Amino acid sequence: MKKRMKRIGFYEGLPISDAHSFIEETTERPIPKHRDLLVQVSAVSVNPVDTKFRHQAVKKNTLTVLGFDAVGKVVAKGSEVKDYAIGDRIYYAGTSKRSGSNQEFQLVDERIVAKAPNNLTDEACAALPLTAITAYELLFEKFQFIPKEVANTTKNILVINGGGGVGSILTQLAKWCGLKVAATASQKNFEWLKSNGVDYPIDYHQPVKPQLEKVGMDKVDAVAVLFDIRPYLTELVEIIQPMGHIGMIVGVDEPIDISKFKNLSVTFDWEYMFAKTDHEKQIETQGEILIHLTKLIEENKIHTNLGKVYKEGISADTLKQATKEVESGKVQGKVVITGGFR
């Protein structure tokens, strides 16, 4: 008899209040081939991208299983796996092209995983991969800062929405690599910014440029825009250094005019963590990034930003509750479900 497993998903994107927004089913456990690992999932986090994908989903006859951040134990592996063994505890951010982590056993390519940090719990590990990879790629691949400790001490960065999931990891990495870091948030979250490496908290309710000038950052080398860029375009022309970088992770639903940046020779960068796995391009670099992040975490150079944790186990009910928290936008830090499948 073939082994079975639980999985949680939906047939169409429904409001989280709908009884069928998440459905639990059982199915055959997949068999790993080639470079795949079969992972028994012990903890997952819910990201805004999960809710975005669910809202955009069209009705299908097959169950859609989302979930990206995960930590778990390798229980089987394909014949071409090189770097991982049965029993290894790993973490990863998955891909948008395969069934996600909201299932008891998940297939994942060994090239996009890493061994989980020894000094973190499952829930703390599950809070990291997606936001940390996004932040790392933006800082060190797109902006081309040097990914070494205190290697960029002559440079600075402004982070728009520094208190969010990506922002609170990006500011830590920016501080670790030697950048002077300014970041926006509401004043009530200034201490949160400082705890995550920010030198100069900036009140997003007020014009940004005068606040930067007060702390001696008349111009910045890079701006990570982790929010809708449109309210900031006019100020960014005056803030960004010539030959600087502006990076975005949030899409726009209408064209934006960047012509005023032409004579500054500014580079605009899009960061989308799934681009590599969507297009089978340099996917091994995401595993390498996680390996580096594990080292930094175990050396206490950066920390996870765990918010609310559901410890009752992964089920349709806890996934609905966690998703509702994320959609409310009121939780500081990541929302995680731990305890394996019940």
Side-chain angles (χ1 to χ4, degrees):
M1 179 181 289
K2 293 184 177 180
K3 295 180 178 179
R4 308 283 291 178
M5 70 172 189
K6 296 178 182 178
R7 62 179 184 169
I8 303 165
F10 51 85
Y11 288 94
E12 60 181 313
L14 297 169
I16 197 62
S17 57
D18 192 287
H20 298 97
S21 56
F22 285 107
I23 299 168
E24 187 172 304
E25 292 185 350
T26 61
T27 189
E28 290 182 3
R29 190 184 302 185
I31 298 172
K33 298 178 180 179
H34 308 300
R35 299 194 71 173
D36 277 342
L37 304 169
L38 182 63
V39 182
Q40 184 173 13
V41 176
S42 56
V44 299
S45 76
V46 178
N47 289 282
V49 70
D50 293 82
T51 67
K52 178 182 177 182
F53 283 2
R54 194 184 91 257
H55 292 159
Q56 294 175 344
V58 296
K59 190 172 183 177
K60 296 197 302 184
N61 293 324
T62 56
L63 193 74
T64 296
V65 178
L66 293 179
F68 300 105
D69 285 326
V71 60
K73 182 175 67 175
V74 177
V75 295
K77 62 180 185 176
S79 59
E80 297 173 22
V81 169
K82 300 176 181 179
D83 299 321
Y84 295 93
I86 306 300
D88 282 347
R89 178 172 169 259
I90 62 172
Y91 70 146
Y92 50 90
T95 166
S96 66
K97 296 300 184 182
R98 305 180 77 173
S99 289
S101 55
N102 296 331
Q103 56 187 327
E104 193 173 4
F105 294 89
Q106 180 187 9
L107 290 177
V108 61
D109 191 303
E110 71 162 339
R111 290 171 290 179
I112 63 171
V113 313
K115 290 183 181 179
N118 289 323
N119 58 337
L120 293 187
T121 61
D122 284 350
E123 53 262 39
C125 289
L128 273 166
L130 190 149
T131 53
I133 292 173
T134 300
Y136 194 103
E137 289 182 348
L138 189 55
L139 275 174
F140 303 123
E141 295 181 356
K142 304 304 193 316
F143 293 167
Q144 298 182 349
F145 292 121
I146 301 167
K148 295 181 180 179
E149 192 166 11
V150 297
N152 304 272
T153 55
T154 64
K155 303 288 187 178
N156 58 27
I157 188 170
L158 169 65
V159 182
I160 304 295
N161 190 23
V166 174
S168 58
I169 293 295
L170 192 149
T171 54
Q172 291 183 62
L173 288 169
K175 184 67 174 177
W176 164 78
C177 78
L179 295 168
K180 284 293 183 184
V181 184
T184 69
S186 60
Q187 286 195 21
K188 66 179 182 180
N189 291 326
F190 277 10
E191 289 305 313
W192 173 261
L193 293 183
K194 291 177 181 177
S195 72
N196 290 312
V198 174
D199 299 296
Y200 308 117
I202 303 294
D203 185 355
Y204 82 91
H205 294 100
Q206 305 298 326
V208 173
K209 187 173 185 292
Q211 296 180 77
L212 289 174
E213 290 173 341
K214 284 183 180 180
V215 297
M217 288 178 63
D218 294 14
K219 299 286 184 180
V220 295
D221 297 291
V223 184
V225 186
L226 313 178
F227 192 75
D228 184 353
I229 193 172
R230 289 171 296 180
Y232 298 95
L233 272 174
T234 300
E235 276 198 295
L236 290 183
V237 174
E238 300 177 352
I239 289 168
I240 193 70
Q241 288 273 19
M243 280 73 76
H245 286 258
I246 296 174
M248 299 166 287
I249 67 170
V250 178
V252 293
D253 53 14
E254 60 186 41
I256 57 174
D257 181 9
I258 61 173
S259 60
K260 292 181 180 179
F261 295 90
K262 184 260 183 185
N263 288 351
L264 293 168
S265 196
V266 166
T267 298
F268 278 78
D269 298 294
W270 282 110
E271 165 56 25
Y272 181 59
M273 196 220 71
F274 298 121
K276 291 176 180 176
T277 50
D278 280 358
H279 303 285
E280 288 289 317
K281 191 86 170 176
Q282 301 173 346
I283 68 171
E284 71 283 350
T285 62
Q286 294 198 328
E288 292 165 0
I289 288 168
L290 284 175
I291 289 169
H292 192 191
L293 290 166
T294 293
K295 184 174 185 292
L296 294 179
I297 292 161
E298 290 181 342
E299 293 176 350
N300 295 312
K301 303 293 185 181
I302 64 170
H303 57 264
T304 186
N305 280 320
L306 192 58
K308 186 160 185 177
V309 181
Y310 291 85
K311 297 185 177 182
E312 302 90 341
I314 306 166
S315 65
D317 183 57
T318 54
L319 190 55
K320 286 179 184 179
Q321 293 179 55
T323 300
K324 186 176 180 180
E325 292 278 5
V326 171
E327 291 184 350
S328 76
K330 296 178 180 179
V331 178
Q332 196 167 57
K334 296 291 291 291
V335 179
V336 171
I337 312 168
T338 190
F341 280 72
R342 302 289 175 88

